[in-house]
Amino acid sequence: MALFDLDPTLPAEIGPLSWLLGIWEGSGVVHYTVGDEVREHEFGQRVSFSQDGLPYLNYSSTTWLLPSTGSGSEAGSGSGAGSGSGAGLESGAATPLAAELGYWRLGRRLGDGDPGPAMLPGVGERPFQTADAVETLRNDAGGFDVEVSLIHPGGVHELYLGQVKGPRIDLATDAVMRSASAKEYAAATRIYGLVDGALLWAWDIAALGQDLRTHSSGRLERVE
């Protein structure tokens, strides 16, 4: 018997990730040390997780710098979620910062019934179409393996592997591809969690010649 609730209108494989669905807005803080320099600023963020009938989530994130408040201690505390709303960016009160696009799915080997590669249709019945079938994908830790593919406009493409276990997701890069024009970026980890209805996340990176270390975190509220 399936251990998670599934909206019958969603593909079954989205079940373990379905708590991410929606549009989220809030704020956070970047705190990254490069040599002796600490780079710190507050940002607003808008994140969308959507689905289109296939067994993955579409993901997009946009962030923008927030006007300086004179103190970084409030960023990401929850009280700043309103100040990080999309209205701030649209009104011209903030400067665009970064963007990401990607796909999130359960990590399993694709078979004949799955579409692909490219636009080739699957052959035969699609697998894992019920919650009970998806339950067979649980790993030894009691969660589900996850694959996340993200692309950045600055020439970086990340492949994350990890797991979702209840309302928590842990990810680490398995591969990072950079174009010749991209800034140096070697590895990353990310954590996402649903706490009291809010989406909290933290992102560590190894970049600009530094080892893996704290980079940014945020708190988002579902707005749609």
Side-chain angles (χ1 to χ4, degrees):
M1 180 181 226
L3 300 180
F4 56 87
D5 294 328
L6 177 66
D7 182 335
T9 67
L10 297 177
E13 285 185 68
I14 290 179
L17 297 168
S18 60
W19 54 271
L20 290 168
L21 284 166
I23 296 176
W24 305 78
E25 291 185 355
S27 60
V29 63
V30 168
H31 185 101
Y32 194 64
T33 303
V34 181
D36 296 327
E37 177 189 4
V38 177
R39 302 185 183 181
E40 186 170 18
H41 56 261
E42 294 177 83
F43 60 87
Q45 184 179 28
R46 180 180 175 89
V47 166
S48 171
F49 287 96
S50 63
Q51 62 89 28
D52 53 17
L54 291 171
Y56 55 76
L57 298 183
N58 305 298
Y59 165 83
S60 68
S61 168
T62 56
T63 58
W64 52 93
L65 290 172
L66 294 176
S68 175
T69 62
S71 171
S73 61
E74 297 180 358
S77 66
S79 61
S83 64
S85 69
L89 182 62
E90 294 168 3
S91 67
T95 302
L97 177 61
E100 301 177 318
L101 292 172
Y103 301 95
W104 297 52
R105 72 178 185 91
L106 297 191
R108 65 165 178 86
R109 184 176 295 277
L110 299 182
D112 291 342
D114 295 295
M119 291 194 292
L120 296 176
V123 177
E125 184 177 355
R126 288 187 181 181
F128 304 103
Q129 295 196 69
T130 68
D132 287 339
V134 173
E135 275 295 321
T136 67
L137 295 173
R138 282 193 185 269
N139 57 32
D140 293 340
F144 296 89
D145 295 336
V146 176
E147 294 183 11
V148 176
S149 181
L150 300 181
I151 189 167
H152 306 253
V156 173
H157 186 177
E158 302 173 274
L159 173 63
Y160 286 90
L161 302 181
Q163 78 162 0
V164 54
K165 188 174 183 181
R168 177 180 170 125
I169 298 172
D170 293 88
L171 301 170
T173 48
D174 182 63
V176 175
M177 183 174 68
R178 293 185 288 125
S179 68
S181 62
K183 291 187 176 182
E184 193 274 325
Y185 181 95
T189 62
R190 303 193 192 207
I191 299 173
Y192 295 80
L194 190 65
V195 180
D196 296 329
L199 181 61
L200 277 59
W201 62 265
W203 181 9
D204 293 355
I205 65 172
L208 304 179
Q210 311 304 303
D211 56 8
L212 189 68
R213 59 186 62 186
T214 298
H215 162 247
S216 60
S217 61
R219 179 186 175 95
L220 308 175
E221 302 285 347
R222 185 184 275 113
V223 295
E224 291 183 32

